[in-house]
Amino acid sequence: MHRRKTPPTPCFDEIIHAPHRLRLCVLLSPVESAAFATLRDELDLADSVLSKHLKVLSEAGYVTLDRPVGQGGRPRTWVRITDAGRAALAGHLAALHELSEAAALSQPPGSRA
């Protein structure tokens, strides 16, 4: 027996909306966690810029940061999106989808945007 997944409630989220934070959440959503260096390289950001965006997401409760100790070598920081972060991302994407549908409906037939 499968439970039906209820669609997310559209909710524009100012925290997630910043382009780098939106991309971070999207990158994190399909994985259990990702290394800081992987996110930095994927987004082509400086460490300081990525740290700043992760701090905002962490303070909102949307991601957690884990720095395991005892592995030898340099400690790696792992980033994981939380359930609250997944819900906020889903709501934000649903709100963006509504906006794009409204924009498409407002275009005269045959016009180019």
Side-chain angles (χ1 to χ4, degrees):
M1 191 164 146
H2 294 282
R3 265 194 187 157
R4 283 190 135 191
K5 207 173 190 184
T6 58
T9 302
C11 181
F12 194 87
D13 190 303
E14 294 284 341
I15 293 169
I16 289 179
H17 189 66
H20 292 310
R21 292 195 292 268
L22 177 58
R23 291 181 65 206
L24 271 167
C25 290
V26 169
L27 285 171
L28 291 167
S29 66
V31 297
E32 187 172 322
S33 63
F36 181 95
T38 301
L39 296 170
R40 177 198 61 214
D41 295 347
E42 184 69 29
L43 296 172
D44 194 26
L45 297 175
D47 287 1
S48 60
V49 173
L50 178 56
S51 292
K52 188 169 131 181
H53 286 295
L54 288 174
K55 181 179 180 186
V56 172
L57 290 169
S58 178
E59 288 175 349
Y62 291 171
V63 300
T64 59
L65 306 175
D66 184 31
R67 295 175 185 93
V69 187
Q71 300 290 322
R74 290 180 62 175
R76 293 178 75 182
T77 299
W78 292 90
V79 184
R80 182 181 69 79
I81 193 166
T82 63
D83 290 342
R86 285 182 200 285
L89 175 62
H92 186 72
L93 292 175
L96 291 176
H97 182 72
E98 280 186 348
L99 287 173
S100 68
E101 284 184 333
L105 291 174
S106 68
Q107 298 294 319
S111 71
R112 299 181 103 181

